[in-house]
């Protein structure tokens, strides 16, 4: 796909959202079941069933997916797709590249070992390694726009309002 094809594909969508802003607001959903054996949650991904469990650092077997890993994987996936889309739009030919996300967790917080230790990632680092013939200013623009338009990155960075509730089934 080249820049013209990308613009042509997205033009009617952008036009619709300009004329009907409410059409652009979509609720994404994820669903899982905790009605399985062991300390696991079966997550419906839309393509398959993923079984998430405890990370080995908190007592898990390591056979199930760790939700922290899944968060980083979602970041890598979103950032990678966004970078390829932006590269196409600004006509930067990426010969190859990799996207790496790393996050630091202190499991003392998760396990309640130390009440002062925060639960969750203390730091997340996202890195791109690319091979391209583009000049540095184009690569700088590519990174800036990828950061700007990556949904998962912006969600993590800006911390949206979150609510939690429970009801009986």
């Amino acid at each position: 796909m080249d820049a013209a094809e990308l613009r042509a594909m997205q033009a009617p969508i952008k036009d619709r959202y300009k004329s009907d802003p409410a059409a652009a607001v979509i609720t994404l959903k994820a669903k899982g079941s905790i009605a399985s054996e062991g300390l696991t949650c079966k997550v419906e991904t839309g393509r398959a069933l993923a079984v998430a469990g405890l990370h080995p650092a908190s007592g898990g077997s390591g056979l199930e997916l760790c939700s922290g890993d899944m968060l980083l994987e979602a970041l890598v996936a979103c950032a990678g797709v966004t970078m390829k889309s932006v590269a196409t739009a600004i006509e930067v030919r990426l010969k190859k590249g990799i996207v790496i996300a790393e996050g630091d967790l202190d499991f003392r917080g998760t396990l309640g070992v130390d009440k002062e230790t925060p639960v969750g990632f203390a730091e997340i680092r996202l890195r791109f390694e690319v091979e391209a013939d583009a000049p540095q200013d184009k690569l700088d623009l590519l990174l800036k726009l990828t950061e700007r338009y990556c949904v998962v990155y912006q969600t993590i960075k800006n911390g949206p309002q979150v609510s939690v509730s429970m009801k009986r089934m």
Side-chain angles (χ1 to χ4, degrees), residues 1 3 8 11 22 29 31 34 40 47 51 57 63 69 73 76 81 87 93 101 103 105 115 123 125 144 165-166:
M1 180 176 291
K29 298 179 183 178
K31 184 178 176 182
I34 57 174
T40 61
R47 304 282 183 267
V51 179
L63 298 176
D69 288 334
E73 290 161 358
V76 164
V81 169
R93 187 176 160 273
L105 284 165
K115 302 290 187 213
E123 182 180 350
R125 295 170 299 283
K144 177 182 172 184
S165 64
M166 182 190 303

Side-chain angles (χ1 to χ4, degrees), residues 1 10 13 18 44 56 86 102 108 116 148 163 168:
M1 180 176 291
Q10 291 181 337
I13 298 168
K18 286 176 186 172
E44 298 172 18
V86 170
E102 299 173 328
R108 292 176 302 160
E116 301 301 313
R148 178 177 177 185
S163 64
R168 290 188 186 273

Side-chain angles (χ1 to χ4, degrees), residues 8-42:
M9 179 182 72
Q10 291 181 337
I13 298 168
K14 289 181 177 184
D15 289 343
R16 179 171 178 226
Y17 294 164
K18 286 176 186 172
S19 65
D20 182 9
V25 179
I26 296 171
T27 300
L28 301 179
K29 298 179 183 178
K31 184 178 176 182
S33 170
I34 57 174
S36 57
E37 291 295 318
L39 300 174
T40 61
C41 178
K42 292 185 178 177

Side-chain angles (χ1 to χ4, degrees), residues 55-70:
H55 188 278
S58 60
S61 69
L63 298 176
E64 298 86 18
L65 298 169
C66 165
S67 54
D69 288 334
M70 293 169 72

Side-chain angles (χ1 to χ4, degrees), residues 153-162:
Y153 172 80
Q154 287 297 330
T155 301
I156 292 169
K157 180 182 175 200
N158 295 316
Q161 182 176 340
V162 178

